[in-house]
Amino acid sequence: MKIFTDRKKGPLNKITDVEGIRVGHSTINDGKIKTGVTCIMPHGGDIFKEKLIGASYIINGYGKSLGLIQLDELGTLESPIFMTNTMSIGEVLNSSMKWMIDKYKDVGNKSGAPNIIVTECNDGVINDMRGLHVKEKNVLEAIENISEDFEEGSVGAGTGMISFNLKSGIGSSSRIIEIKGKNYTLGSLVLSNFGKIKDLKIGNREIGRQMYLKSKEKKEGKDKGSIIIIIATDIPLSARQLKRVAKRSAIGLGNVGSFLGHGSGDIAIAFSTANKIKDNTFEDIRILREDLLDEVFKACAESVEESIINSLIYSKSEISKDGKRIFSLEDNLKNLGIDF
């Protein structure tokens, strides 16, 4: 299944097409335990001592993510970004804090406490979330596994996720943007866990409605899921500009059929690798001229849209903790005899 084939992408079509970014997973898949941790390392240097400019945007605030208050107040990102299930955010924060303490001897003393970003979605339909199965070893494994070419689909934090009543998880994509004759990259990564099947759209085709009408079991219910959206670019942008970019991720959500439901925690985080903030009295930073942002906005919307679709395309059918089969997009289309 190929989509958006006429648009210019990075060589991997992943967030790691932005130079320096790496992504790692720790996957737990054992019977009713289907969950994990995903780590996004924002650059290849020392993220705590060489902070990046960043911002978040709360599209719909039904979520429990950690670290967003300081991110928006100071406009700087100083830690990896972690993803996990809702009830494991405390363990991930605690374990990543231990990792930071081991790595930086001044943490909690001369340099204060780091602001670690931990995001979440609820995987309780597939995973025994109440068992609190994510442990310190999984956080460390996700950090150790960071690489440029990472898996998508039912891996890491995406192991137990469902979108549009189909199996989903981690999805990513990228876009190349030309500004004044020079190429830049914008990439996105999503932890996708939202939506109802009859609302799903792919490339403006109402494929979800087709599946819904052909299915013997009409799945209704409320949209109780969430999505975490990470947007990265090597374009020099300010924190205010990055928040503006993050807002445009809602267009990508709408294009696949989301209406930003009451029970959906839709959180976007955006950062730029172009400027590194060090311990200087004054920082010299470059930012893009405001009226050149339109192509960045468009790239963000397109990339987020494709990342969500990729989270479905790369996921495999799974059995829920109650023994119910959650079909992948591919398997559901085959079962219903729908060509795509």
Side-chain angles (χ1 to χ4, degrees):
M1 185 184 298
K2 295 182 179 180
I3 59 174
F4 306 118
T5 53
D6 60 334
R7 298 170 185 170
K8 194 172 183 181
K9 310 172 185 180
L12 294 174
N13 194 29
K14 296 178 180 180
I15 194 171
T16 47
D17 287 326
V18 179
E19 187 177 354
I21 297 177
R22 299 292 182 268
V23 175
H25 303 298
S26 176
T27 301
I28 309 171
N29 195 332
D30 183 10
K32 294 183 179 182
I33 308 169
K34 297 180 175 72
T35 191
V37 179
T38 294
C39 171
I40 300 101
M41 196 65 70
H43 67 70
D46 190 323
I47 183 60
F48 188 56
K49 294 180 180 178
E50 297 181 320
K51 299 170 176 43
L52 299 180
I53 298 176
S56 72
Y57 180 65
I58 311 303
I59 303 168
N60 192 63
Y62 204 108
K64 286 85 176 169
S65 294
L66 305 174
L68 302 186
I69 295 174
Q70 183 173 313
L71 174 64
D72 281 342
E73 182 69 20
L74 302 186
T76 53
L77 176 66
E78 60 182 29
S79 79
I81 299 171
F82 294 95
M83 296 173 159
T84 191
N85 74 68
T86 305
M87 295 181 74
S88 292
I89 57 172
E91 179 61 45
V92 173
L93 177 62
N94 190 48
S95 299
S96 58
M97 189 67 73
K98 289 180 182 177
W99 176 77
M100 295 286 279
I101 289 170
D102 289 342
K103 188 175 178 67
Y104 304 101
K105 302 308 177 185
D106 288 340
V107 158
N109 188 6
K110 295 180 180 179
S111 63
N115 183 53
I116 300 175
I117 309 293
V118 185
T119 63
E120 54 77 32
C121 288
N122 189 318
D123 61 9
V125 173
I126 290 180
N127 173 51
D128 171 30
M129 191 166 61
R130 285 173 55 88
L132 304 176
H133 300 287
V134 170
K135 305 298 182 185
E136 182 178 357
K137 66 179 181 180
N138 303 112
V139 177
L140 296 178
E141 183 178 52
I143 296 171
E144 291 168 0
N145 286 343
I146 58 170
S147 65
E148 185 177 349
D149 195 5
F150 59 93
E151 286 186 76
E152 297 175 72
S154 305
V155 292
T159 304
M161 300 299 165
I162 300 170
S163 293
F164 301 100
N165 304 111
L166 301 167
K167 186 66 190 71
S168 65
I170 298 291
S172 192
S173 71
S174 67
R175 292 291 183 273
I176 305 299
I177 306 165
E178 183 179 336
I179 300 175
K180 297 294 185 179
K182 183 177 179 180
N183 284 340
Y184 296 88
T185 304
L186 179 145
S188 66
L189 182 147
V190 302
L191 177 62
S192 183
N193 191 58
F194 71 99
K196 297 186 293 184
I197 192 166
K198 66 180 180 180
D199 297 324
L200 175 62
K201 297 177 183 178
I202 300 179
N204 293 321
R205 178 176 170 182
E206 294 185 340
I207 190 69
R209 181 165 293 277
Q210 288 181 259
M211 290 188 284
Y212 176 79
L213 293 175
K214 293 197 71 171
S215 176
K216 294 180 180 179
E217 181 182 355
K218 297 294 188 289
K219 298 176 181 178
E220 292 288 347
K222 295 181 179 180
D223 179 2
K224 297 180 180 180
S226 297
I227 185 168
I228 302 298
I229 302 167
I230 310 300
I231 303 151
T233 185
D234 55 10
I235 302 170
L237 299 175
S238 68
R240 181 185 54 77
Q241 289 174 323
L242 285 164
K243 185 178 285 288
R244 295 189 71 197
V245 173
K247 290 178 182 179
R248 271 63 183 184
S249 63
I251 300 170
L253 272 171
N255 285 348
V256 298
S258 171
F259 56 89
L260 315 178
H262 161 73
S264 185
D266 306 322
I267 313 296
I269 297 170
F271 65 90
S272 168
T273 62
N275 294 295
K276 292 184 173 62
I277 308 301
K278 302 178 182 180
D279 189 17
N280 298 321
T281 303
F282 295 96
E283 299 291 348
D284 293 322
I285 62 172
R286 298 169 58 245
I287 63 170
L288 182 66
R289 203 174 74 205
E290 208 73 22
D291 63 343
L292 297 176
L293 278 171
D294 279 351
E295 287 302 310
V296 185
F297 293 160
K298 181 179 179 182
C300 173
E302 289 183 356
S303 179
V304 169
E305 179 181 355
E306 185 177 8
S307 291
I308 295 167
I309 301 304
N310 284 343
S311 78
L312 294 166
I313 289 174
Y314 289 105
S315 290
K316 305 297 182 184
S317 296
E318 188 56 89
I319 304 298
S320 75
K321 66 183 182 187
D322 296 329
K324 188 175 182 179
R325 190 165 185 81
I326 309 296
F327 287 103
S328 67
L329 173 62
E330 181 180 12
D331 287 346
N332 207 48
L333 289 170
K334 287 181 180 178
N335 293 338
L336 297 174
I338 299 175
D339 294 326
F340 192 82

